[in-house]
Amino acid sequence: MKSVLLLLNLWFLTSYSTFAYIVDPGPSVKATKGALWPKPKTQTTSQRYSVIKRSSFHFQAVNQTCDILTKAIDRYQKIVSNVGNESRRALFSASRNDNNLARRSWRSDVNFNEYLEEVTVDLKAPCEILPYLGMDESYDIIVSETHASIESYSIWGILRGLESFAQMVVLSEDGSMLYVNLTTISDSPRFSHRGLLVDTSRHFVSVSTLLKMLDGMAYNKLNVFHWHIVDDQSFPYQSKYYPELSEQGAYHPSMVYTPQDVQNIIEEARLRGIRVISEFDTPGHTRSWGVSHPELLTACYDQYQGKLGPMDPTKESTYTFLFKLFQEIVEVFPDKFVHLGGDEVGFECWASNPAVMEYMKQNRLYSFEMLEETFIQRIVDQIDALNRSSLVWQEVYVNGVRLPNGTVVHVWTGNRQDLLYRITKDGLPALLSSCWYLDHLSTGGDWRKFYNCDPHDFVGTKNQKDLVLGGEACMWAEVVNDHNILQRIFPRVSATAEKLWSQEYVTDTDDAARRIEEHSCRMNLRGIPAQPPSGPGFCI
């Protein structure tokens, strides 16, 4: 009797979808089946389908190729195979005693097209080596009666197309076949900068977890890993020029990113079309720097006697030290952009220091904002001299720093509409993060609040809105570490990913709710421990 009840239960669960998600009590969210996340620009899908022949299915490069493509094909070959692995087929077929009958039923189905053994991967132009801002990520997918192909003029578009194709592959309800509907897709992203910021200072995050995070980013078509690598609490970056920074400033000798670790992360990101942008925040958030180099920081007096404050902007040695470090950083991190921070600088220590006050008097600096401007100006100029471009937090812009053309202003707090209007009116590019703070956790369903934020939700001309490059979701690490950071990020970052990839008219949260149920289970199947997005239920 128990076995009969089990079979009935499995039949009920698997009859919903390949990645069944049943929500009870309350209104059920019926998961989609083979729907894409993020939603593509245009897609036409037929009821007809081709059955993937597991024993011989493969991707075949037919034009240009390179290491990025070869390794991507290997990854996605395994991903597609895993959708129909033996254990999953057994689960889905548990309610059917006669699989041969099931096979006969789909062979005679009027919607059955043919067996699919090969998907051609047509890269129409030579591979580029490094991902970059504004890279071409457009692609086309055709699964027709006679052939299946993924096409793009860019390796980055091929990567996004492989991801979309893999999402289209589903296991039948009875586990007897792996199939894909006949489909035509033409897709490209709305914004060129689609990022995830991860803080590795408040809690150390292991390399293995960061690598898994990169996989999760690729599954959501995110393309920037903003590595907030150091902060007040610890300095885990192992510098070639200043090894004492991590030797004395890291939490523990085991909690350090070696040069090889950093190169591994940059390389694995590159293979997934993800840029790695480093952030070494100054002049604030630098307490860990002062463990080995207290001379960099401002000595406090009066009620703050014995403490150290932000970096000392009055000493030429501070700028000499930073320039040497930034020379190393641009050698290590190949991206054109360096994030300089510049946020949340406390002025109390500067105000207590007689040497700082005398410096301000001699240089006619009438406010601490002007002093901070002087510091940031020197750092921005250093990055400019190193042939790199700067990203800065919004305080740098608000405080009036003269920013070189192309400096990106990162909005994280306050009235985002007003700030985006002002920044772009001044001709500067902008990024948005203020509505995508993943450390602000409310409930499992809080992805909806992220989904309802749009970077173009401000009054401005078309030229102004074109200056909004995109945005980033931010995972600050006060209360996350290896044991919960992936669950906090996924699938909540998926909402941000869709808002930055899909077209402006993609706003239907009910449709998104069904697709994110499937996508969360899809990520679980691929080894990403995404938390349930909306409520009670489970994945098959």
Side-chain angles (χ1 to χ4, degrees):
M1 183 64 183
K2 286 182 179 179
S3 61
V4 172
L5 290 173
L6 176 61
L7 290 173
L8 286 172
N9 191 37
L10 284 169
W11 173 85
F12 173 75
L13 294 172
T14 58
S15 67
Y16 268 77
S17 75
T18 302
F19 302 94
Y21 227 108
I22 314 303
V23 178
D24 184 44
S28 64
V29 178
K30 184 177 179 181
T32 51
K33 188 173 183 178
L36 300 195
W37 194 283
K39 199 177 187 77
K41 195 171 186 178
T42 65
Q43 177 176 2
T44 304
T45 302
S46 168
Q47 292 297 314
R48 301 195 69 200
Y49 58 87
S50 291
V51 173
I52 289 177
K53 203 165 186 177
R54 295 188 187 94
S55 60
S56 57
F57 174 80
H58 64 283
F59 295 100
Q60 180 63 52
V62 295
N63 203 333
Q64 303 284 338
T65 190
C66 60
D67 64 330
I68 300 176
L69 180 55
T70 301
K71 292 179 180 180
I73 285 176
D74 182 60
R75 288 198 308 275
Y76 280 101
Q77 185 80 39
K78 293 173 182 174
I79 286 171
V80 170
S81 298
N82 194 45
V83 174
N85 66 38
E86 188 173 340
S87 60
R88 295 191 77 244
R89 294 202 309 273
L91 279 174
F92 277 83
S93 62
S95 60
R96 302 291 178 95
N97 292 322
D98 189 352
N99 281 328
N100 289 328
L101 178 62
R103 290 190 182 92
R104 286 197 297 272
S105 68
W106 57 257
R107 281 178 185 155
S108 60
D109 186 348
V110 295
N111 287 320
F112 170 58
N113 178 56
E114 62 173 12
Y115 286 110
L116 179 61
E117 295 185 77
E118 179 179 279
V119 176
T120 61
V121 181
D122 186 2
L123 173 58
K124 298 175 182 294
C127 281
E128 295 172 304
I129 297 173
L130 289 171
Y132 56 92
L133 178 67
M135 60 188 172
D136 178 13
E137 296 174 272
S138 63
Y139 67 91
D140 295 306
I141 292 178
I142 300 170
V143 182
S144 70
E145 289 85 353
T146 58
H147 78 286
S149 66
I150 301 168
E151 302 174 1
S152 178
Y153 284 91
S154 163
I155 183 60
W156 320 118
I158 291 291
L159 293 177
R160 309 310 173 218
L162 283 165
E163 173 58 35
S164 289
F165 181 86
Q167 292 185 15
M168 292 160 53
V169 176
V170 291
L171 190 63
S172 64
E173 294 167 2
D174 58 14
S176 64
M177 64 171 176
L178 198 61
Y179 71 96
V180 60
N181 288 89
L182 305 191
T183 303
T184 301
I185 292 172
S186 183
D187 198 11
S188 60
R190 183 180 172 206
F191 293 100
S192 59
H193 186 121
R194 306 180 308 280
L196 170 64
L197 177 152
V198 177
D199 164 20
T200 58
S201 172
R202 272 78 176 208
H203 282 94
F204 182 79
V205 180
S206 68
V207 172
S208 61
T209 297
L210 292 178
L211 293 176
K212 185 163 283 193
M213 201 177 293
L214 292 174
D215 277 334
M217 291 176 66
Y219 301 155
N220 288 275
K221 298 187 174 77
L222 292 167
N223 68 357
V224 177
F225 173 46
H226 175 171
W227 196 352
H228 186 90
I229 194 166
V230 303
D231 209 293
D232 279 328
Q233 290 76 16
S234 72
F235 198 105
Y237 172 79
Q238 188 178 82
S239 168
K240 176 177 67 174
Y241 293 154
Y242 303 113
E244 65 275 10
L245 285 166
S246 60
E247 287 171 359
Q248 299 180 48
Y251 283 130
H252 186 270
S254 66
M255 297 180 179
V256 166
Y257 301 108
T258 67
Q260 187 59 55
D261 291 334
V262 173
Q263 287 308 307
N264 286 344
I265 289 167
I266 292 171
E267 175 62 8
E268 292 302 314
R270 182 186 77 91
L271 293 173
R272 289 156 179 78
I274 297 172
R275 302 159 56 202
V276 179
I277 295 178
S278 64
E279 181 184 355
F280 288 78
D281 198 357
T282 62
H285 293 282
T286 50
R287 194 168 60 222
S288 64
W289 304 51
V291 180
S292 59
H293 286 276
E295 75 281 0
L296 289 175
L297 306 186
T298 305
C300 306
Y301 293 85
D302 302 333
Q303 68 266 41
Y304 307 106
Q305 185 76 36
K307 295 184 178 181
L308 296 173
M311 285 192 168
D312 191 332
T314 70
K315 295 178 180 177
E316 193 62 30
S317 58
T318 301
Y319 304 105
T320 301
F321 182 98
L322 287 172
F323 187 67
K324 187 174 181 180
L325 179 64
F326 282 125
Q327 282 182 308
E328 174 183 335
I329 288 167
V330 300
E331 291 172 4
V332 170
F333 294 91
D335 198 83
K336 179 184 175 182
F337 286 88
V338 178
H339 205 302
L340 301 179
D343 63 317
E344 297 182 318
V345 180
F347 298 144
E348 300 85 358
C349 192
W350 282 350
S352 74
N353 186 295
V356 171
M357 297 304 293
E358 181 60 26
Y359 177 88
M360 291 177 66
K361 181 179 178 181
Q362 290 180 3
N363 289 275
R364 299 183 179 180
L365 302 174
Y366 304 115
S367 69
F368 293 110
E369 286 81 6
M370 292 178 70
L371 179 60
E372 182 186 3
E373 176 191 347
T374 299
F375 176 91
I376 293 291
Q377 192 69 66
R378 290 286 299 272
I379 304 307
V380 168
D381 291 344
Q382 285 184 356
I383 296 300
D384 196 40
L386 291 169
N387 198 30
R388 292 292 192 271
S389 297
S390 301
L391 289 109
V392 294
W393 293 110
Q394 67 188 54
E395 288 94 326
V396 175
Y397 167 81
V398 171
N399 290 343
V401 175
R402 176 184 50 80
L403 297 173
N405 290 336
T407 302
V408 180
V409 182
H410 200 160
V411 175
W412 72 276
T413 189
N415 185 328
R416 69 175 187 270
Q417 288 93 346
D418 176 63
L419 279 164
L420 289 171
Y421 174 81
R422 289 166 53 196
I423 293 163
T424 56
K425 191 172 187 299
D426 284 342
L428 292 169
L431 289 177
L432 178 64
S433 282
S434 55
C435 49
W436 294 319
Y437 265 45
L438 302 177
D439 56 314
H440 297 176
L441 183 68
S442 51
T443 89
D446 67 354
W447 65 268
R448 290 175 182 264
K449 72 180 181 183
F450 303 131
Y451 197 82
N452 289 327
C453 175
D454 191 286
H456 281 172
D457 183 22
F458 69 97
V459 177
T461 65
K462 181 183 182 304
N463 287 340
Q464 283 181 260
K465 293 188 177 184
D466 287 345
L467 284 169
V468 180
L469 305 178
E472 295 179 355
C474 299
M475 187 71 258
W476 301 104
E478 283 86 352
V479 292
V480 294
N481 59 15
D482 267 0
H483 299 286
N484 66 343
I485 190 169
L486 292 170
Q487 294 89 333
R488 288 286 181 91
I489 290 173
F490 302 102
R492 297 159 76 231
V493 75
S494 301
T496 304
E498 178 150 297
K499 300 312 291 185
L500 293 171
W501 178 281
S502 301
Q503 296 300 297
E504 188 172 4
Y505 55 77
V506 178
T507 58
D508 186 340
T509 53
D510 291 335
D511 172 71
R514 292 187 291 272
R515 288 185 297 109
I516 204 169
E517 295 289 344
E518 176 182 9
H519 191 51
S520 297
C521 290
R522 180 188 290 135
M523 286 191 284
N524 289 168
L525 178 62
R526 297 184 186 184
I528 305 298
Q531 69 177 30
S534 299
F538 57 90
C539 300
I540 294 296

